[in-house]
Amino acid sequence: MMLQDGSTQLLCLTASSGVPLFTRGAHKQLPFSVIGSLNGVHMFGSGQGAVLSCCETEGGGKVVWRVFQDSVMLIAVSGGGGGRGGAGSSSSSKEEEYHLQRLLENVWNCLVLVLGQDELVNVRNVERLKRDLRSCFCLIDQLMEEKQEGILGNLTHCADSLMPPNPVLLQETLQGFAQAADSEFGCLIVHGRIAAATEKWWRLAPQEVVLLSALMRSLSTSGSVSCDYPVFLPQGSPTVAHRLLRFQLLPGADVCVLCGPTPSLHRAESGLVGRFWTPLVEHLRDCLAVGERCLPGSVSLRPDVLALFLINRETRRSVSCVRTPTNHSHSDLPLPSKPRCWELLKLFYIFSTTRYFTQEETVCVSPEERAQRSNTDNFILGFTHQPLQCYLVTEECKSFGLQTQQHQLFLLVPLSVPTFALRTMATQTLSDIVAATGF
């Protein structure tokens, strides 16, 4: 195989001439001859009226191609065998393809977010474009590495959220802060997740909300307490830049607004941040204390819930958490580790949404992208109805998926839980969370 098992490499080339623009990912880069061959076989197919979108190598790896705006070609190459499977080789292959296709979508949107669509479509100087693309590397690497556990928005295009114990006060403060900054778009990020956002922020395209959250996480790790960053909105404003003003309120808590020429960074930092957010320091600490659990203390989960992932289908928001039961008495049945639970949660989400459940985001994408995803619907077409529940039993745990008109819930539990009890557990867990939080 060209790459080590489990590694992924991203290639970016000009679509017309195949000139390499950058590569990211695996430590050992693919030889130039291989990159040229991957581009050449795609161009040959296009010349014959065939679109080559994905193929599988003899070693179990995957290669996925995607051309954006007839200008930029992105290729994702996976070494395979990296543990993404767990439900059989065929389903593992399907899940890997889904993962790589989503990566290419995110990377393109990332390039537009940072550089703007005109810079990518109307390439006047390739060498200059190569230099400009370096400003995207930090964000691209974050999308590829997925270092922060529990951040699933890159995969789901639902905003990773945190439910604070005092949502009304935070929401009112954020609304006032955004208005004072001449903006209708404001967002409070805690531990990399959205704790509060203005109404106009939630009206942004789901991909934009996810990418802006990723950018905020990237900026917060830079060490700066504030910044003024130009951004393009891939769906709403791909050719005209907005200003993203971001301020660190406490370590792990950041607030940002999208605005026009005013106010200046200095005026917002010196005159607005302290006025609005200093009285809420203790409330922000309470919000930070919620941590990776993402749910306030008012939500009581069953002790045998290993992990959960809940999506609000209407708002395109999600919450997730992984926990280790403290009273698990079946020591002969080892539980998966916390990192493995996150991995299994992602795998089960892909397994469920590519086979059983609907994906609302398809209404927000272009006809071209919708055609790219149509292959995943073949399995669903075999049903005379819309599946609302599914479950999967593996050697590590049991998983149950539940879909209602407003929610999708994905649950991981130990093998010791009887299979017949999974539906009741999921239904009760969803009811408890919605009753306590209104999510």
Side-chain angles (χ1 to χ4, degrees), residues 417-432:
V417 176
T419 303
F420 66 80
L422 296 178
R423 177 189 298 178
T424 302
M425 281 187 60
T427 303
Q428 188 62 51
T429 298
L430 176 59
S431 177
D432 291 344

Side-chain angles (χ1 to χ4, degrees), residues 92-235:
S92 300
S93 174
K94 193 181 188 78
E95 288 154 5
E96 185 69 16
E97 179 182 351
Y98 179 96
H99 186 271
L100 295 177
Q101 289 284 7
R102 182 50 50 88
L103 173 63
L104 297 189
E105 291 178 36
N106 290 336
V107 170
W108 167 253
N109 285 325
C110 166
L111 301 182
V112 176
L113 181 80
V114 177
L115 297 181
Q117 186 170 286
D118 286 346
E119 191 78 11
L120 300 167
V121 175
N122 305 312
V123 180
R124 301 174 182 84
N125 186 310
V126 173
E127 293 304 317
R128 177 183 173 182
L129 178 59
K130 286 182 180 180
R131 291 193 298 270
D132 292 342
L133 285 169
R134 294 174 187 170
S135 59
C136 306
F137 287 175
C138 185
L139 189 53
I140 291 174
D141 291 344
Q142 182 190 146
L143 294 173
M144 295 185 68
E145 295 170 1
E146 300 177 337
K147 284 185 175 180
Q148 185 169 351
E149 293 179 347
I151 300 299
L152 305 177
N154 301 340
L155 178 67
T156 67
H157 282 174
C158 295
D160 294 289
S161 304
L162 180 147
M163 297 185 187
N166 40 24
V168 176
L169 183 58
L170 291 176
Q171 186 70 34
E172 291 176 349
T173 303
L174 177 65
Q175 191 70 37
F177 175 73
Q179 290 178 353
D182 299 327
S183 172
E184 295 181 295
F185 301 87
C187 182
L188 175 66
I189 301 283
V190 176
H191 291 311
R193 300 168 175 87
I194 298 179
T198 61
E199 181 182 353
K200 286 291 185 70
W201 187 277
W202 289 124
R203 290 186 186 178
L204 297 173
Q207 298 94 326
E208 293 172 344
V209 175
V210 168
L211 275 181
L212 288 170
S213 296
L215 179 60
M216 286 284 287
R217 291 192 295 272
S218 177
L219 294 173
S220 65
T221 59
S222 65
S224 64
V225 296
S226 63
C227 64
D228 187 340
Y229 197 92
V231 296
F232 298 82
L233 300 178
Q235 306 294 325

Side-chain angles (χ1 to χ4, degrees), residues 4 45 105 120 213 237 296 303 319 348 365 413 416:
Q4 293 181 346
E105 291 178 36
L120 300 167
S213 296
S237 179
V319 291
F348 184 59
V365 302
V413 300
S416 57

Side-chain angles (χ1 to χ4, degrees), residues 156 158 308-314 316-319 349 352-353 356-360 386-388 400-411 430 439:
T156 67
C158 295
L308 69 82
F309 178 44
L310 176 60
I311 293 174
N312 186 309
R313 301 171 64 188
E314 295 180 356
R316 302 297 298 165
R317 298 174 61 189
S318 68
V319 291
Y349 167 82
S352 303
T353 54
Y356 302 105
F357 297 161
T358 55
Q359 295 172 272
E360 287 74 26
Q386 171 62 56
L388 300 179
F400 191 88
L402 174 65
Q403 177 170 263
T404 68
Q405 185 174 357
Q406 188 174 358
H407 297 95
Q408 286 178 344
L409 174 67
F410 306 90
L411 213 60
L430 176 59
F439 182 77

